[in-house]
Amino acid sequence: MEDIVMTRAIFGTTMAFHIIFATMGVGLPLMILLVELLFWRTRDRDYEIMAKRWTKAQAILLGVAIPSGTIAGVQLSLLWPGFMEIVGKVISLPFQIEIFAFFVEALFMSIYVYAAHRLSRNMRLLSLFMVLLGATASAILITNVHAFEGTPTGFRMVDGQIVDVDPWKAFFNPSFFVTAGHVTVSAYMTGAFIVAGVAAWKMLRAEKGSRVYLYHQKALLAGLIVGGTFSLLTALNGHESAQLLHKYQPEKLAAAEGLFETQAYAPLAIGGFTDPETKEVKYAIEIPWALSFLAANRFDEVVVGLDDFPKELWPPLYIHTLFNGMVIIGSLLIFVGFIGFAWKKLLKRSQFPRWVLWIFVASGPLALLGIEFGWIFACTGRQPWVVYRVMKTVDAATQAAGISTLFWIFLSVYVFFAIVTLLVFRSYFGRHPLQLDPPEQPKVDGGTA
């Protein structure tokens, strides 16, 4: 059992690190494309400068995401041979197609970085769109393997053998569209709030009303508008995800809400801690009938409780805390987006007070924390299965010794990566400070591709 825990810890640590860069690598291209569009529409060079500087950040993030993603791929083969047997025979398509998606992202990223000033307006926008398309497709394709783990289709197991394989049916498994939507909108939301958080931090350090202050304020507003919009979409998609769990993984939904008794008009538990001895969520705030409505859009829906399943098949009950953390952070981010909109559009204020800016600064780290809570909940809530009701995690893991040593080695690698990344950011942007009034204005080519 200890080896299984350490095997999961190694891969979990890898993904906890990689998902930060992968998520930002999807969300930031959308913001770059947005400010490019704003530049060509308004001819405001501040937006062009944002695009150039954020592109440099994207290149650094991509440089870290590639090796950490490669490590994750190697670990899948070495640590989870049982799972990879199913992947190889049933659900290898997403991995194969993802190679081409990454190629598209890297190719057009190189074109934009090194040749943007030589490209026409339409080609610049096309290059950025292809970067965004490649990054988004990569995230969707890799996440589709996780979707398959929760709702496996496209094959049958007969006497321990995989038969009747339909790779496209496995690809378009019941969770595909909901999961693809969730990873997309949550990544766009996170990238936008990271931009907003950094811009708010810069505004706190700049003189109010100064040229630098106004530049960062434009970036802040762009981040808040995009982040607020996609936080709402993330919430709507989360509702669909809960209904998917109700239909396909009922014990996961029950554990997420600490529901032990199968019942209609089931309450929604907010906060608190699940106590398996008393079979209740202690210190929680209960909203009557809300869980039934969340599960099926009707208050009298019968929601299955944990008592209907053998205890050894229960997910870890602490996923209730993870689920609550994800939902609470998402709700806060919706509120943050509304604050930015209301302050500028409804109250017509030209500047934000410092306490509001501090809220915006917190939005970036909170968005990343929400992403971490979400993926840990998604994977841990599926336990003890690696492929739901097909293969248990213990049967998928390697039997090799020395797993504990590997954990500390990989943890050291990620700490090293994190330090180097921070130093690279500090070094590059320290040597290339923001310059809003360069001596020569570049020519604006309004031609077509």
Side-chain angles (χ1 to χ4, degrees), residues 44-116:
D44 185 340
R45 290 203 65 254
D46 284 357
Y47 292 119
E48 184 185 36
I49 294 171
M50 288 178 202
K52 289 180 178 179
R53 293 178 68 81
W54 296 354
T55 300
K56 301 302 187 294
Q58 171 73 3
I60 296 172
L61 294 173
L62 189 62
V64 181
I66 291 172
S68 61
T70 302
I71 291 173
V74 172
Q75 285 183 355
L76 278 174
S77 299
L78 297 181
L79 298 179
W80 306 103
F83 170 63
M84 290 306 291
E85 180 181 359
I86 294 180
V87 168
K89 294 180 179 179
V90 182
I91 192 68
S92 61
L93 273 177
F95 286 112
Q96 296 170 10
I97 302 173
E98 194 274 337
I99 295 174
F100 295 97
F102 172 73
F103 175 76
V104 169
E105 177 188 6
L107 173 63
F108 283 94
M109 183 72 184
S110 300
I111 291 173
Y112 183 76
V113 168
Y114 294 107

Side-chain angles (χ1 to χ4, degrees), residues 238-265:
H239 179 58
E240 294 180 339
S241 299
Q243 294 181 336
L244 197 73
L245 293 182
H246 172 61
K247 183 176 181 180
Y248 292 102
Q249 300 181 69
E251 62 267 51
K252 185 175 181 178
L253 180 62
E257 283 302 321
L259 185 73
F260 290 87
E261 179 185 351
T262 298
Q263 56 188 286
Y265 303 99

Side-chain angles (χ1 to χ4, degrees), residues 133-447:
L133 179 65
T136 303
S138 291
I140 290 173
L141 290 163
I142 293 301
T143 309
N144 189 29
V145 179
H146 163 74
F148 169 83
E149 291 178 78
T151 53
T153 52
F155 73 106
R156 292 190 304 115
M157 294 289 289
V158 178
D159 298 327
Q161 300 298 314
I162 299 172
V163 298
D164 297 337
V165 175
D166 183 342
W168 286 111
K169 188 175 181 180
F171 186 96
F172 292 107
N173 61 82
S175 300
F176 172 74
F177 290 104
V178 173
T179 304
H182 192 72
V183 70
T184 300
V185 296
S186 61
Y188 292 165
M189 174 197 73
T190 302
F193 278 118
I194 289 293
V195 166
V198 172
W201 172 253
K202 294 291 187 179
M203 290 170 67
L204 285 167
R205 303 179 66 183
E207 181 182 352
K208 272 193 174 184
S210 66
R211 181 79 173 83
V212 172
Y213 184 96
L214 295 176
Y215 166 87
H216 290 299
Q217 184 169 261
K218 294 174 186 176
L220 172 64
L221 291 174
L224 290 176
I225 292 171
V226 175
T229 300
F230 282 103
S231 61
L232 281 171
L233 294 176
T234 301
L236 294 174
N237 179 268
H239 179 58
E240 294 180 339
S241 299
Q243 294 181 336
L244 197 73
L245 293 182
H246 172 61
K247 183 176 181 180
Y248 292 102
Q249 300 181 69
E251 62 267 51
K252 185 175 181 178
L253 180 62
E257 283 302 321
L259 185 73
F260 290 87
E261 179 185 351
T262 298
Q263 56 188 286
Y265 303 99
L268 184 71
I270 300 177
F273 302 93
T274 306
D275 187 343
E277 300 299 326
T278 61
K279 294 187 177 182
E280 63 178 353
V281 183
K282 291 186 173 180
Y283 315 114
I285 300 172
E286 286 195 352
I287 303 177
W289 306 0
L291 181 56
S292 289
F293 185 81
L294 180 68
N297 295 330
R298 47 185 291 178
F299 294 113
D300 62 347
E301 177 71 12
V302 175
V303 182
V304 180
L306 287 170
D307 286 341
D308 282 23
F309 304 94
K311 197 167 184 177
E312 63 269 18
L313 298 183
W314 288 5
L317 298 184
Y318 62 77
I319 68 170
H320 171 72
T321 303
L322 295 171
F323 182 75
N324 272 262
M326 176 179 61
V327 171
I328 290 171
I329 288 174
S331 301
L332 287 173
L333 292 177
I334 294 174
F335 178 67
V336 168
F338 175 76
I339 288 178
F341 173 81
W343 200 269
K344 293 297 294 185
K345 300 300 182 181
L346 300 181
L347 299 180
K348 306 294 184 181
R349 304 290 178 85
S350 61
Q351 297 178 355
F352 294 104
R354 292 183 66 84
W355 67 270
V356 173
L357 288 177
W358 278 113
I359 294 176
F360 296 154
V361 170
S363 67
L366 280 175
L368 284 176
L369 188 60
I371 290 291
E372 295 284 7
F373 282 162
W375 86 261
I376 296 173
F377 164 76
C379 295
T380 305
R382 191 182 58 250
Q383 299 304 312
W385 305 100
V386 67
V387 180
Y388 184 62
R389 295 185 181 177
V390 173
M391 177 180 285
K392 288 188 174 181
T393 303
V394 66
D395 298 323
T398 180
Q399 301 300 314
I403 298 299
S404 297
T405 303
L406 282 177
F407 171 77
W408 295 109
I409 291 174
F410 279 110
L411 182 61
S412 301
V413 169
Y414 302 135
V415 171
F416 172 75
F417 274 175
I419 293 173
V420 169
T421 302
L422 292 174
L423 291 176
V424 170
F425 266 100
R426 183 175 180 179
S427 173
Y428 179 84
F429 289 103
R431 289 184 292 106
H432 300 84
L434 178 63
Q435 295 182 356
L436 297 176
D437 297 304
E440 293 183 3
Q441 298 287 335
K443 296 181 180 179
V444 176
D445 178 10

